[in-house]
Amino acid sequence: MEILIAEDDEQIANSLRKNFAEDGNPVMIAKDGEEAIHFLKSISFDVILLDWRMPKVSGIEVCRYIRESGSKVPIILLTALSQVKNKVEALNLGADDYVTKPFSFDELAARINAVVRRYQSNTNELIFNDITLDLIGRKVKTPRGEIYLSGKEFDLIKYFILHKGSIMSKEDICKEVWGVNFVPSTNVVEATVKNLRRKIEDNYGKNLIKSIYGEGYLFIVE
Amino acid sequence: MEILIAEDDEQIANSLRKNFAEDGNPVMIAKDGEEAIHFLKSISFDVILLDWRMPKVSGIEVCRYIRESGSKVPIILLTALSQVKNKVEALNLGADDYVTKPFSFDELAARINAVVRRYQSNTNELIFNDITLDLIGRKVKTPRGEIYLSGKEFDLIKYFILHKGSIMSKEDICKEVWGVNFVPSTNVVEATVKNLRRKIEDNYGKNLIKSIYGEGYLFIVE
DNA sequence: GTTAAATATGAATGAATTTTCATTATTGTT
DNA sequence: AACAATAATGAAAATTCATTCATATTTAAC
């Protein structure tokens, strides 16, 4: 989980970085709001922690900037200001949570999990590496352009990405993609996999769907 | 916004009810966790406030019950327990926020707005009267059963519901449903409207799509 | 290496959807 | 009421998609 921390107090920033690193989460630190906005223009994060008081551009202004740019990324304000009117202002501006210093790292981590969980469980995108499924528009986007998939192919790649990294039996795939009471007497599944493979490969260069002899398919995670 | 409050302290409960009522939000009060679960079985709320310590069933158990039943409704724990381990436990169980007593009503209201905003902005359903579009499953549900729509028909009814109550020109409909650079030389739009009308009428009894001579279509809101 | 089972593939079929088109019906205006 | 413009309709044509089938290739086990 990529985390952006905008915090001018080096001690706090480094302590957070250390804690997150222990949990295996890479952290990027911006020393003021201006730098945070600079990072945000080119990198996408899973959650953003903002100190309120920072040089140049304040956390609350960064928050406003993010929301005005249309992003829904989870934002947590992280500040010494404990007055109700500050909290209300931040939350109304689109922040997802507000934690006052000093705080416990465990609580912060739990709050981050809560907002990220909510964000991801309700998002309309399914992302795998640089392949993004737009679940509502039913489009597949990659840096190399859009992949045009038919309905069944889209359902199939969605199932694959949702179960990436583990072997999926053909029976289970069938149940989910073709419907509970559909028992194929032919090789529809294989045929659809074939077509999907071709389209991914055309766009992606390599194939991501591996066959496991006698067991099913595996969507590869590197 | 329908709010459920589970709180055994009558004074707190009534004070909250009064405050929410001033903002025009109807409130339902459960005096313990058991009653809260009872309400939840038949009524749907926009947000749920749970006291941790309550007779019979605790707030944290209600929270667990809600998440296990598959609901994603926003939940805020509202308690005197301020220890970090309690907060962490609640948030990890699926609560969206945790507010410790005593709290300011303004802050609580702002936190409610934050979680509800997040919840609603990312919902995958489009509801009109008793017609529900499942935007991801691309299904249309009504109390009289499911309506089976083809791709174009689904896109069209989605556009209609999003713009209900105002006249939609055929050019605008075309742009959105068929794509920006599609200029029909035939009456595709009318033909698709016809098919959609028939399917809605078969299920719904009456037609909801009105033609405005010379201007376009209007999806009726009573 | 052989073999049998499992999987992959290209082409053909069948079904559903989308679009077209000719005709009919409706609307607003005179 | 007559007219012209607009909209609705049924059926046909075109297209796309899902499925089937026959054949080829790959795999694991012997």
Side-chain angles (χ1 to χ4, degrees):
Chain A
M1 189 166 64
E2 303 274 342
I3 303 171
L4 173 63
I5 302 176
E7 167 68 76
D8 59 326
D9 182 326
E10 275 191 39
Q11 219 179 329
I12 296 179
N14 283 326
S15 146
L16 284 173
R17 189 214 299 271
K18 197 179 289 178
N19 275 296
F20 285 122
E22 275 172 23
D23 298 348
N25 295 304
V27 168
M28 198 131 187
I29 293 177
K31 62 182 186 306
D32 56 52
E34 200 175 270
E35 197 169 84
I37 290 176
H38 177 71
F39 288 156
L40 285 164
K41 283 185 175 154
S42 52
I43 307 168
S44 81
F45 298 92
D46 297 295
V47 62
I48 295 167
L49 308 184
L50 299 172
D51 184 20
W52 187 304
R53 288 181 191 267
M54 281 187 295
K56 296 182 186 169
V57 179
S58 75
I60 197 79
E61 279 159 23
V62 177
C63 177
R64 190 201 316 265
Y65 164 82
I66 293 171
R67 292 300 179 235
E68 280 177 357
S69 73
S71 165
K72 291 178 178 173
V73 60
I75 298 175
I76 297 181
L77 260 285
L78 204 65
T79 131
L81 305 169
S82 63
Q83 286 189 18
V84 167
K85 73 171 171 38
N86 292 324
K87 297 187 187 179
V88 171
E89 181 184 355
L91 294 169
N92 285 341
L93 256 174
D96 293 284
D97 206 342
Y98 187 107
V99 177
T100 49
K101 301 177 190 173
F103 52 82
S104 118
F105 179 76
D106 288 343
E107 178 179 346
L108 176 63
R111 288 192 178 271
I112 289 175
N113 281 335
V115 295
V116 169
R117 182 202 319 128
R118 167 116 277 156
Y119 177 64
Q120 290 180 344
S121 78
N122 284 329
T123 192
N124 300 320
E125 291 193 334
L126 194 57
I127 299 171
F128 169 80
N129 289 354
D130 52 7
I131 297 177
T132 301
L133 301 199
D134 170 354
L135 297 178
I136 290 192
R138 301 204 127 227
K139 293 176 190 304
V140 182
K141 282 170 275 183
T142 80
R144 289 156 297 282
E146 205 167 293
I147 309 181
Y148 292 93
L149 298 184
S150 75
K152 277 276 173 300
E153 287 160 5
F154 188 90
D155 291 343
L156 187 60
I157 197 175
K158 179 176 159 188
Y159 184 88
F160 278 157
I161 293 182
L162 281 173
H163 299 83
K164 66 192 170 192
S166 62
I167 296 171
M168 299 160 269
S169 77
K170 286 177 187 172
E171 294 82 59
D172 288 348
I173 293 171
C174 236
K175 257 189 220 153
E176 187 77 17
V177 176
W178 275 265
V180 270
N181 33 11
F182 175 80
V183 186
S185 54
T186 61
N187 65 342
V188 234
V189 182
E190 288 91 336
T192 310
V193 167
K194 185 203 74 185
N195 293 326
L196 179 58
R197 268 181 175 147
R198 184 175 45 72
K199 289 186 183 176
I200 291 180
E201 199 155 345
D202 284 355
N203 179 291
Y204 205 73
K206 61 185 164 183
N207 188 12
L208 296 166
I209 305 163
K210 197 173 183 320
S211 305
I212 310 295
Y213 190 88
E215 303 198 48
Y217 293 99
L218 171 67
F219 202 80
I220 297 164
V221 277
E222 281 107 47
Chain B
M1 189 165 64
E2 304 272 341
I3 303 171
L4 173 63
I5 302 176
E7 167 69 76
D8 59 326
D9 181 328
E10 275 191 38
Q11 219 179 328
I12 296 179
N14 284 325
S15 146
L16 284 173
R17 189 215 298 270
K18 196 179 290 179
N19 275 296
F20 285 122
E22 275 173 24
D23 298 348
N25 296 304
V27 167
M28 197 132 188
I29 294 177
K31 62 182 185 304
D32 58 50
E34 201 175 87
E35 198 169 84
I37 290 176
H38 177 70
F39 288 156
L40 285 164
K41 282 184 176 155
S42 53
I43 307 169
S44 82
F45 298 92
D46 297 296
V47 62
I48 294 166
L49 309 183
L50 299 172
D51 184 22
W52 187 305
R53 288 182 192 267
M54 281 187 295
K56 296 180 187 171
V57 180
S58 76
I60 196 79
E61 279 159 23
V62 178
C63 177
R64 191 202 315 266
Y65 164 82
I66 293 172
R67 292 299 179 236
E68 280 178 357
S69 74
S71 165
K72 291 179 179 174
V73 61
I75 298 174
I76 297 181
L77 260 285
L78 203 66
T79 132
L81 304 169
S82 64
Q83 285 188 22
V84 166
K85 73 169 172 29
N86 292 324
K87 298 185 186 180
V88 171
E89 181 184 356
L91 293 169
N92 285 342
L93 255 174
D96 293 283
D97 206 340
Y98 188 105
V99 177
T100 49
K101 299 179 191 174
F103 52 81
S104 119
F105 179 76
D106 287 344
E107 178 178 347
L108 176 62
R111 287 190 180 273
I112 289 176
N113 281 334
V115 296
V116 169
R117 181 202 318 130
R118 167 119 277 155
Y119 179 63
Q120 290 181 344
S121 78
N122 284 325
T123 189
N124 298 319
E125 289 192 335
L126 194 56
I127 299 172
F128 169 79
N129 288 355
D130 52 6
I131 298 176
T132 301
L133 302 198
D134 171 354
L135 297 178
I136 291 193
R138 303 205 126 226
K139 292 177 192 305
V140 181
K141 281 170 275 181
T142 81
R144 289 157 296 282
E146 206 166 290
I147 309 180
Y148 293 92
L149 298 184
S150 74
K152 277 276 174 299
E153 288 160 4
F154 188 90
D155 291 342
L156 187 59
I157 197 175
K158 179 176 160 189
Y159 185 87
F160 278 157
I161 292 182
L162 281 173
H163 299 84
K164 65 191 172 195
S166 62
I167 296 171
M168 297 161 269
S169 76
K170 287 178 186 172
E171 294 81 59
D172 289 349
I173 293 171
C174 236
K175 255 188 221 153
E176 187 77 16
V177 177
W178 274 264
V180 269
N181 34 10
F182 175 79
V183 185
S185 52
T186 63
N187 66 343
V188 234
V189 182
E190 289 90 337
T192 310
V193 167
K194 184 203 74 184
N195 294 325
L196 179 57
R197 268 182 176 145
R198 185 176 44 72
K199 289 187 183 176
I200 291 179
E201 199 154 348
D202 284 356
N203 178 291
Y204 206 73
K206 60 186 165 182
N207 188 12
L208 295 167
I209 304 164
K210 197 173 182 321
S211 305
I212 310 296
Y213 189 87
E215 302 199 49
Y217 293 99
L218 172 66
F219 202 79
I220 296 164
V221 277
E222 282 108 48

